[in-house]
Amino acid sequence: MAKDVRQLERVVIRIAGDSGDGMQLTGDRFTQETAQFGNDLATFPNFPAEIRAPQGTLAGVSSFQLHFADHDILTPGDRPDVLVAMNPAALKANLGDLRDGATLIVDSHDFTTRALARVGWDSNPLEDGTLEKFQLHALDLTQMTLDALADTGLSRKDAGRSKNMFALGLLSWMYSRPTEGTIAFIEHKFARKPEIAGANITAFRAGYNFGETTEAFAVAYEVKPATLPTGTYRNITGNLALAYGLIAASKRSGLPLFLGAYPITPASDILHELSRHKRFGVRTFQAEDEIAGIGAALGAAFGGSLAVTTSSGPGIALKGETIGLAVSLELPLVICDIQRGGPSTGLPTKTEQSDLLQAMFGRNGEAPVPIVAAQSPGDCFDAAIEAARIALTYRTPVFLLSDGYLANGSEPWRVPSLDELPEIPVCFASEPNGPDGSFLPYLRDPETLARPWAVPGTPGLEHRVGGIEKADKTGNISYDPDNHDFMVRTRQAKVDRVAAALPPLAVDDPSGDARVLVLGWGSTYGPIGAAVRRVRRSGVPIAQAHLRHLNPFPGDLGAVLNRYDRVVIPEMNLGQLAMMIRAKYLIDAISITQVRGLPFKAEELAEMLQGVVDHG
Amino acid sequence: MAKDVRQLERVVIRIAGDSGDGMQLTGDRFTQETAQFGNDLATFPNFPAEIRAPQGTLAGVSSFQLHFADHDILTPGDRPDVLVAMNPAALKANLGDLRDGATLIVDSHDFTTRALARVGWDSNPLEDGTLEKFQLHALDLTQMTLDALADTGLSRKDAGRSKNMFALGLLSWMYSRPTEGTIAFIEHKFARKPEIAGANITAFRAGYNFGETTEAFAVAYEVKPATLPTGTYRNITGNLALAYGLIAASKRSGLPLFLGAYPITPASDILHELSRHKRFGVRTFQAEDEIAGIGAALGAAFGGSLAVTTSSGPGIALKGETIGLAVSLELPLVICDIQRGGPSTGLPTKTEQSDLLQAMFGRNGEAPVPIVAAQSPGDCFDAAIEAARIALTYRTPVFLLSDGYLANGSEPWRVPSLDELPEIPVCFASEPNGPDGSFLPYLRDPETLARPWAVPGTPGLEHRVGGIEKADKTGNISYDPDNHDFMVRTRQAKVDRVAAALPPLAVDDPSGDARVLVLGWGSTYGPIGAAVRRVRRSGVPIAQAHLRHLNPFPGDLGAVLNRYDRVVIPEMNLGQLAMMIRAKYLIDAISITQVRGLPFKAEELAEMLQGVVDHG
Amino acid sequence: MADLGLKAKDFKSDQEVRWCPGCGDYAILAAVQGFMPELGIPRENIVFVSGIGCSSRFPYYMNTYGMHSIHGRAPAIATGLSTSRPDLSVWVVTGDGDSLSIGGNHLIHALRRNVNLKILLFNNRIYGLTKGQYSPTSELGKITKSTPMGSLDRPFNPVSVALGAEGTFVARTLDSDRKHLTSVLRAAAAHQGTALIEIYQNCNIFNDGAFDLLKESDSREDWIIPLEHGRPIRFGKDGSKAVVRASDGSLTVADQVDEDDPRLVIHDAHVENPSYAFSLARLSSSDARYAPMGVIRSVTRPTYDHLMTDQLDTAAAAAPGDESALQKLILGNDTWQVA
Amino acid sequence: MADLGLKAKDFKSDQEVRWCPGCGDYAILAAVQGFMPELGIPRENIVFVSGIGCSSRFPYYMNTYGMHSIHGRAPAIATGLSTSRPDLSVWVVTGDGDSLSIGGNHLIHALRRNVNLKILLFNNRIYGLTKGQYSPTSELGKITKSTPMGSLDRPFNPVSVALGAEGTFVARTLDSDRKHLTSVLRAAAAHQGTALIEIYQNCNIFNDGAFDLLKESDSREDWIIPLEHGRPIRFGKDGSKAVVRASDGSLTVADQVDEDDPRLVIHDAHVENPSYAFSLARLSSSDARYAPMGVIRSVTRPTYDHLMTDQLDTAAAAAPGDESALQKLILGNDTWQVA
Ligand SMILES: Cc1ncc(C[n+]2csc(CCOP(=O)(O)OP(=O)(O)O)c2C)c(N)n1
Ligand SMILES: Cc1ncc(C[n+]2csc(CCOP(=O)(O)OP(=O)(O)O)c2C)c(N)n1
Ligand code: SF4
Ligand code: SF4
Ligand SMILES: [Mg+2]
Ligand SMILES: [Mg+2]
């Protein structure tokens, strides 16, 4: 039967089910197919903090959202056009987010009175009109999967597990995706269990064929490949990009990589990833706690490694004292904070940007630390290299801020050729630099104010460092009042010096007519960009700038801000960057804040920006 | 021989010697005599981080400065009028601070070539004209002490130990101090070693008589008692006042006091002091580290104690994660940070105000905590009570900031009668407050936004709290986005609510003509006040206001700031309060900073203030 | 203990239990809830404090007072609570990562202090909540997400650690053996001071089957070494295995040991010297599969909480602690009047 | 070891030593500086890492590489250094507060990992630097600034703690006995892995005389129990005291023991099972004055540092780790071209 194929510019799909239903895997696969096909895309995985919350409950729902388009896009989309819901809980938990008229594909298998009651429904929404705003396809996906696998000899339970593949097959048909990749993937993943591989492939094909054959779906859709800059692309999550960025920085600086870390969501995957790359000289140390993690990294830094520690908010709080020591020792160290919802344990699997001020001020005394932030999953790669560059060049701990949204979200990424990356020249001290052949471990480079890095093993440069205030140049303990004042200001000056080598801030103001500037940092890049496009589409000029460097700010930031009547700062916190900007530049920046554990929705943000443009 | 007695308004005396020479004790005694006599006074002890640095070295010098006057004074004085130096190192280390024409009393006993060389002198300053700007009295105090004790049968070494008492006797004569107190003190202190007591008293009397008899000292001085508000006075250090304030708060709230602490300079004395007062129901727990210290305190808070933890910067850095938990649990907890020089180990025995931003922001997520600061040693008492009041009223952790200068410095303090102190009413929840007899641990008081405090042991109110985000009212775990946003804002609102009950900010602007306001916080109160007086004395009006509450600010602060053309903020950091003020009120506050481990000198500060008045 | 008429269900909170289906934590929860009525303590006087981890969700499910705190800090928090409120029955729930990785120091200090805490250490030899990294009790060479080529660090034996840290009560039990678990809970509850109970717990998602040898009917009798005070330590399918003292004084396992063999060890949980208990614990080092189970050590020492209360009482008896005494204290000895 | 022609004075830095006159730290410093040339390692390959405390000032005085870090964290920092630079000789200097109070967890984890660190624990049973609070090794009932009515918590026995934490090398010595101290340093330096040396150290300011019994000529022979591998453990003024094995297998001290008494214990530092060493350590619990001195345990186990290096080598041998391999890795398997 020949079917209609309709062209779309963009689609937002969300698939949702129990945490045990394999939704993240299904989402990943659909993303890969879509990436292979050449669409631009952005993803948003969302899962509960529990490993396996009880089946069929709202708390146990896991979902994966994918936005893909024939043009470049910036966010995983606000409101799904399509929801695939594998059980009543998944339907209930996600219904509120759908746009009117959205397509709903629901596995009706589990819509029993009991299951419905469990999520607080006393009648069946598939039947009672609840869903009339939507294009509902209630299908017994589970049963169809079981039927497809009837001959395999698998138990009902095992066979039922493949229902996600059935759903994926159906989606693949609907959106005209290539299927070879998925089949190869399944074969590879279950290479040791061929009967499971077979079942999954059968279910996947059955789903595809069901779309092709049945009359339920009158149309398939096509979203043309996007035109992106030329190059080789892959899909990548933020944590993976960050890990690769660190290895690349290690190669470009010629220093072995050392990671000292303690597992914590959503940072653990960086530890997992790096532990797999020992052949590149990467040492990973799973420490007894966060303090030992950063401590070991600092020890490795003293020994001449590119030293890194990774954590999330609660773990970063524990590292404060040691970060202060690193400031005092003036050794390079990259501290990655993959932010999550706080305070305290907060919302471990949700995203937030509320550690900026902790990164700035979370330790005793005047202990300034440069801060860089990543703005998209792929950008985590570049941000990691930039953090390493600053740390190594200025001999200082550096914060690299990412967050749960970047960490797990993915996007197509143009893979750089390693030799296009900046080199990070590092030169260990090898000769005495003081009078009479002495070594002065705190004699500074006049340009960067960096002190020499003399690693153990270098004859003649034996020296001692420590956390007590040090005399200028010699580094000996000093309680001298003027020396202390000098050293406090010098450490600050060194961090301020970072700005000198930064490029001017890029401002996106196509018409040049904008009176309002939207300033952002970190993972709000996508939503802000999307919101700004919406505003512009309505004919209003508006400018956007996004900060990679939060400390120090780029040197021209003040001048940029002064070009605009109003500056708006959207943040997933209560206004942390806004506070820093207000204090430094004394401008009445408007803070737009949302602390919902979720990225901004472009649509809502656009409305708020429009409000500022309209009413100032 | 009848001698001259001259009247003085004020004197600044500094006594300095080896850390082993008993300088702190001598200073304390002279202070007590002076207090007894009725002068107003302020002190500044200054000692090395080492327990006993090697004898005779600059690093080992310990000193004690006392400023006393016939009128009320605010600081221990900038430049001593009199220096007593017990050895070459003490002379060298302190010489630079003297005003021209100052009196120098030097124990010449140890001015050997070797001892001089040790501190870098190649000729004897007592003889080579180095000291010609001063009124030098080079006396062999040690030998005189030995002579005085020749008959006691004490070894030379033991006898020599009393030279500090000889010096004290001499000073007591010179400044017409009462001596009974010191004699009684010595008898009490060495009650078990009568021969030592005897030797010290003999040396003390010998010093006094030496002044009386010899011609070296032509004049004695008298500084009349000061006229202070009526009342019973005592001399008190900041740490002692803070400890007493906590016990008083415990009595006024009816809650047992629990301190969880780990020793650290300069906070340890609070632990020591409180551990001595078990009869008042005070429990002190010396924990294995700072995290356990605050953890135990939080546990005690859950159980219904007035819970306190004390530390200094590096220890506070370790407590960040647990403070976040306390914010999330909304339990009362007083966190005392006795600030010292940072970053890292920094200058452990020196003072600094550089933990304000750590107190504000040193933990993950949006975790606001009220902050109060003490402004003088005696004021630590009131500040402790205020911190406890806020913690108990709003059910929140509260920072109480003091510093090394307040901790060890002393001043006359009008001892309050306990029943003039504010009562701190605390009411534990005892009844269900929810539908169907349920208990809602996060149902808030509409005025304070405090949640009920239901302590274990209360039947029917069993409930669970934790660091994961909680649903409004029920406190159950909630991952709901809107609830999280609401709770984050509510916790902030609760802290902001503290301002509602604060009195208006006191502004000292006698003429009402000032165009410049000096805004301060913490221990800069004395130096700022003294500097302001100097400026005024030169005929220029200038206003002063000092913040007890750093978070939230008093409600009228904005209005106060707007009344002045310029606001100047002197701080012993790189401008932390200034940053907060600039961000919040968008005024171009001028930051005057010094990070020398020492309080501002009134004279220098006055000059800088004058500069602002003159040139804006 | 008083029978308050409470039932297991009275200790169930209204919160939905959210562990993975099949997780060993369920059985432990049921056993604890089942045991609680026996304590004879009203619910309001019982507090459960936990850290972070799957196991640390425990307090939410107990209808008592409870605190789900932060990672590794539960013993410290519970110390403050118990010390300031010795009238309460304070229980700590923790995992192998929570208590032995990040929280190791608080654990050993609680033990040496002998604070009146009952610590339930759910040892699944893995980090459950963070999805499967190795823990300080994972076996050497363990392949996990963070150790793809195998872990390199020797695991702790929690019993050895506790004995090295002056623990007064140390026991071990198994999630699936409710009767045994309950008996150990009972002994711990009766103990004055810190009681550490290591509970082998299956994490069926990330470390499934870690204790199968101790559970399966064809092997468990070969590896579980049951300890009962005053009884010879015999085990094995036919009961012929036993723990014996070798000539060099060390303990080993021997087969075919007669009832009257002089080498046979009679279990004595109350020996003051912890060396005996330590030797028992080290049976696992001769063959990692051996698992001595039951109360390994239980000796009497004053508790920290009571010693502190005593000091307060002594101080209060020696001098008044009322408002006027406080006034005097604050006045000090060197006052002067300004009129 | 190679003789590099170094002398003790080559290990003296130009920094003035700033401990209190009479402090036991001086003797330890002198002993270490005197021993260093024996190591046969060039100064630049030696690193001293310390925490905070009087003792932790140590690195400043050594003319090697050094780091005076923060309180309690030296073992963690040194672990990173040693693991990333197995070519270095890494020494940790720490106090009883630094290592057993705030730093207890890092210490026990270093021990179980068997990182190649030589840890010198200066045990003066007090907090020196903060002026005299009790420490985790202070005796029960100790009156200090923070415990005016006496401390309430049972001290740790550092040797027991280390053995409970799987330590491979544990020794004890005395500040004032330079020869003994040096012999223990020598044994520790030869050990592959974590070597913990507890050094009894007198703090003459805040805890003077803590070890006098072990120093004074009329008592030291009664209380020091000297351990030498392969030799019977005999001591006492006339050599008639000995450590014997009681019939219940435990170790005790007996008087008037003959050379051929079968109960006499021959010291064996190399027994794999740490129970023996643990029993030795617990002689102090029968009478706190007994001090077994020397190498209590020294067994061979691979070091963490080398195991990690091996994994890196194995991985590198299995697949290339060059720039083009990295390029491939970053590309991954699912790429597409945009032309
Ligand atoms: C300060 C901090 N670090 C790390 C984490 C992440 N984290 C949570 S639980 C856990 C380990 C859990 O293992 P275990 O204690 O064995 O408990 P289980 O889940 O196995 O019951 C980790 C590393 C955290 N929540 N807080
Ligand atoms: C984080 C932190 N907490 C507390 C302190 C204060 N402090 C410094 S050394 C020390 C204890 C010293 O005792 P010990 O380790 O036994 O060393 P000793 O001085 O006796 O050699 C303490 C509590 C600190 N410097 N840093
Ligand atoms: S991950 Fe393991 S320990 Fe955690 S709930 Fe699931 S089965 Fe239990
Ligand atoms: S205080 Fe004690 S340990 Fe510290 S230097 Fe002085 S004598 Fe030595
Ligand atoms: Mg576990
Ligand atoms: Mg000590």
Side-chain angles (χ1 to χ4, degrees), chain C residues 55 95-98 122-129 135 137 201 203:
Chain C
S55 33
D96 43 324
D98 195 58
F122 292 29
N123 184 2
N124 54 13
R125 297 191 176 152
I126 201 82
Y127 287 181
L129 191 71
S135 92
T137 58
Q201 171 243 327
C203 167

Side-chain angles (χ1 to χ4, degrees), chain D residues 19 25 27-33 35-36 39 46-51 54-59 62 74-75 78 90-100 107 111 117-124 158 169 171-173 181-189 194-201:
Chain D
W19 290 305
D25 290 353
I28 308 175
L29 176 63
V32 172
Q33 287 169 335
F35 166 70
M36 282 284 121
L39 263 184
I46 301 172
V47 186
F48 277 79
V49 180
S50 66
C54 294
S55 35
S56 288
R57 291 293 180 97
F58 200 94
M62 295 295 300
V90 182
W91 296 69
V92 170
V93 175
T94 179
D96 44 323
D98 194 59
S99 64
L100 288 167
L107 180 73
L111 286 162
L117 305 176
K118 313 304 152 209
I119 304 180
L120 312 183
L121 193 173
F122 291 29
N123 184 2
N124 54 13
F169 182 103
R172 185 185 282 136
T173 184
L181 211 169
T182 305
S183 74
V184 167
L185 290 174
R186 193 174 294 129
T194 311
L196 179 75
I197 308 183
E198 181 187 13
I199 308 176
Y200 284 161
Q201 173 244 326

Side-chain angles (χ1 to χ4, degrees), chain D residues 72-290:
Chain D
R73 315 302 172 189
I77 292 171
T79 293
L81 179 60
S82 183
T83 307
S84 63
R85 291 288 306 275
D87 57 315
L88 301 175
S89 170
V90 182
W91 296 69
V92 170
V93 175
T94 179
D96 44 323
D98 194 59
S99 64
L100 288 167
S101 196
I102 192 168
N105 205 31
H106 306 306
L107 180 73
I108 61 179
H109 279 268
L111 286 162
R112 84 174 172 94
R113 290 193 184 107
N114 204 32
V115 185
N116 204 5
L117 305 176
K118 313 304 152 209
I119 304 180
L120 312 183
L121 193 173
F122 291 29
N123 184 2
N124 54 13
R125 295 190 178 153
I126 201 82
Y127 288 180
L129 190 72
T130 47
K131 306 197 175 173
Q133 300 82 11
Y134 83 119
S135 91
T137 58
S138 297
E139 57 280 16
L140 204 67
K142 177 119 191 151
I143 292 184
T144 69
K145 283 199 184 130
S146 57
T147 51
M149 295 179 74
S151 61
L152 304 173
D153 24 359
R154 173 92 142 209
F156 281 136
N157 175 334
V159 175
S160 299
V161 172
L163 294 170
E166 313 292 325
T168 53
F169 182 103
V170 189
R172 185 185 282 136
T173 184
L174 195 60
D175 55 0
S176 54
D177 187 346
R178 176 145 173 185
K179 211 176 119 210
H180 190 264
L181 211 169
T182 305
S183 74
V184 167
L185 290 174
R186 193 174 294 129
H191 178 72
Q192 290 298 309
T194 311
L196 179 75
I197 308 183
E198 181 187 13
I199 308 176
Y200 284 161
Q201 173 244 326
N202 192 42
C203 167
N204 55 309
I205 301 294
F206 296 111
N207 200 17
D208 197 22
F211 305 104
D212 275 1
L213 224 47
L214 307 179
K215 296 185 174 183
E216 278 163 14
S217 55
D218 61 342
S219 57
R220 65 180 176 220
E221 278 140 333
D222 288 335
W223 302 112
I224 288 187
I225 305 182
L227 303 174
E228 278 181 68
H229 179 72
R231 303 282 303 271
I233 310 179
R234 302 186 65 91
F235 64 112
K237 276 204 191 59
D238 54 0
S240 74
K241 293 193 184 177
V243 173
V244 300
R245 196 176 314 280
S247 60
D248 68 352
S250 67
L251 301 188
T252 51
V253 168
D255 214 341
Q256 307 299 346
V257 181
D258 288 342
E259 300 254 332
D260 53 0
D261 190 317
R263 298 171 311 155
L264 186 56
V265 175
I266 313 289
H267 181 52
D268 182 354
H270 307 324
V271 235
E272 180 53 42
N273 188 331
S275 302
Y276 160 69
F278 193 87
S279 307
L280 270 183
R282 302 312 294 193
L283 288 172
S284 324
S285 32
S286 67
D287 187 317
R289 293 171 295 181
Y290 285 131

Side-chain angles (χ1 to χ4, degrees), chain B residues 47-55 57 59 118 262-265 268-269 271-273 275-276 278 284 286-291 318 344-345, chain D residues 16-21 52 54 57 69-71 73 97-98 101-102 127-131 133-135 144-149 153 205-206:
Chain B
F47 36 81
E50 283 83 12
I51 305 305
R52 297 265 188 288
Q55 252 186 320
T57 64
R118 206 150 178 204
Y262 187 70
I264 188 168
T265 306
S268 309
D269 282 336
L271 164 64
H272 304 160
E273 186 59 35
S275 69
R276 299 174 54 222
K278 304 195 197 307
T284 55
Q286 180 179 315
E288 58 271 27
D289 65 11
E290 284 83 354
I291 303 177
L318 288 167
S344 193
T345 308
Chain D
E16 192 173 15
V17 185
R18 293 197 182 167
W19 290 305
C20 306
I52 296 282
C54 294
R57 291 293 180 97
S69 74
I70 46 177
H71 201 28
R73 315 302 172 189
D98 194 59
S101 196
I102 192 168
Y127 288 180
L129 190 72
T130 47
K131 306 197 175 173
Q133 300 82 11
Y134 83 119
S135 91
T144 69
K145 283 199 184 130
S146 57
T147 51
M149 295 179 74
D153 24 359
I205 301 294
F206 296 111

Side-chain angles (χ1 to χ4, degrees), chain B residues 140-402:
Chain B
D140 194 335
L141 301 176
T142 304
Q143 191 55 48
M144 290 191 274
T145 306
L146 293 175
D147 294 347
L149 300 177
D151 304 336
T152 55
L154 283 178
S155 72
R156 235 183 116 81
K157 201 176 145 203
D158 281 346
R161 287 230 176 91
S162 297
K163 67 182 176 196
N164 62 329
M165 285 296 130
F166 188 95
L168 179 61
L170 177 56
L171 282 176
S172 301
W173 173 80
M174 279 179 72
Y175 294 97
S176 317
R177 307 283 95 178
T179 56
E180 309 76 28
T182 295
I183 290 169
F185 169 84
I186 296 174
E187 277 165 351
H188 180 80
K189 183 170 160 89
F190 298 104
R192 299 237 199 93
K193 297 183 185 160
E195 71 289 359
I196 302 289
N200 276 308
I201 292 170
T202 306
F204 176 69
R205 289 216 166 103
Y208 193 94
N209 295 338
F210 173 76
E212 179 96 17
T213 328
T214 177
E215 310 223 331
F217 295 91
V219 242
Y221 299 93
E222 203 174 88
V223 180
K224 287 261 166 69
T227 38
L228 298 167
T230 58
T232 306
Y233 281 74
R234 63 169 290 170
N235 192 48
I236 200 160
T237 64
N239 272 351
L240 186 59
L242 198 154
Y244 286 173
L246 291 172
I247 305 180
S250 148
K251 268 274 179 301
R252 299 303 286 174
S253 63
L255 301 182
L257 187 64
F258 183 96
L259 172 72
Y262 187 70
I264 188 168
T265 306
S268 309
D269 282 336
I270 305 172
L271 164 64
H272 304 160
E273 186 59 35
L274 288 176
S275 69
R276 299 174 54 222
H277 301 300
K278 304 195 197 307
R279 62 179 165 134
F280 297 108
V282 178
R283 284 180 155 82
T284 55
F285 171 63
Q286 180 179 315
E288 58 271 27
D289 65 11
E290 284 83 354
I291 303 177
I294 188 173
L298 188 59
F302 188 61
S305 288
L306 170 55
V308 181
T309 191
T310 50
S311 194
S312 186
I316 297 293
L318 288 167
K319 293 179 196 284
E321 193 202 6
T322 312
I323 296 172
L325 176 63
V327 167
S328 181
L329 299 188
E330 303 192 38
L331 284 170
L333 180 62
V334 177
I335 305 154
C336 306
D337 181 355
I338 318 301
Q339 301 163 96
R340 65 187 217 185
S344 193
T345 308
L347 296 177
T349 58
K350 308 293 173 198
T351 196
E352 203 159 293
Q353 298 186 291
S354 53
D355 287 354
L356 175 57
L357 293 175
Q358 172 173 238
M360 282 293 294
F361 304 118
R363 50 213 160 261
N364 59 301
E366 293 288 348
V369 171
I371 304 175
V372 306
Q375 64 185 36
S376 75
D379 183 56
C380 288
F381 183 86
D382 296 324
I385 294 176
E386 174 65 355
R389 180 191 70 81
I390 296 174
L392 293 170
T393 309
Y394 298 87
R395 317 272 198 251
T396 174
V398 172
F399 260 100
L400 168 54
L401 298 181
S402 172

Side-chain angles (χ1 to χ4, degrees), chain A residues 50-52, chain C residues 18-26 53-55 124 126-132 201-207:
Chain A
E50 283 83 12
I51 307 303
R52 298 264 187 287
Chain C
R18 291 198 184 167
W19 290 305
C20 306
C23 176
D25 292 353
Y26 284 97
C54 294
S55 33
N124 54 13
I126 201 82
Y127 287 181
L129 191 71
T130 47
K131 306 197 176 172
Q201 171 243 327
N202 192 41
C203 167
N204 54 311
I205 301 295
F206 296 112
N207 200 19

Side-chain angles (χ1 to χ4, degrees), chain A residues 49-54 57 59 118 262-263 265 268 271-272 275-276 278 286-290 318 344-345, chain C residues 16-21 52 54 57 70-71 73 97 101-102 127-129 131 133-134 145-146 148-149 205-206:
Chain A
E50 283 83 12
I51 307 303
R52 298 264 187 287
T57 65
R118 202 143 183 213
Y262 187 71
T265 305
S268 310
L271 165 64
H272 303 160
S275 68
R276 298 175 54 221
K278 304 194 197 308
Q286 180 178 314
E288 57 271 28
D289 65 11
E290 284 83 355
L318 288 167
S344 195
T345 309
Chain C
E16 192 172 15
V17 185
R18 291 198 184 167
W19 290 305
C20 306
I52 297 283
C54 294
R57 291 293 180 95
I70 45 178
H71 200 30
R73 315 303 171 188
S101 196
I102 192 167
Y127 287 181
L129 191 71
K131 306 197 176 172
Q133 300 83 12
Y134 82 119
K145 281 197 187 134
S146 57
M149 294 180 75
I205 301 295
F206 296 112

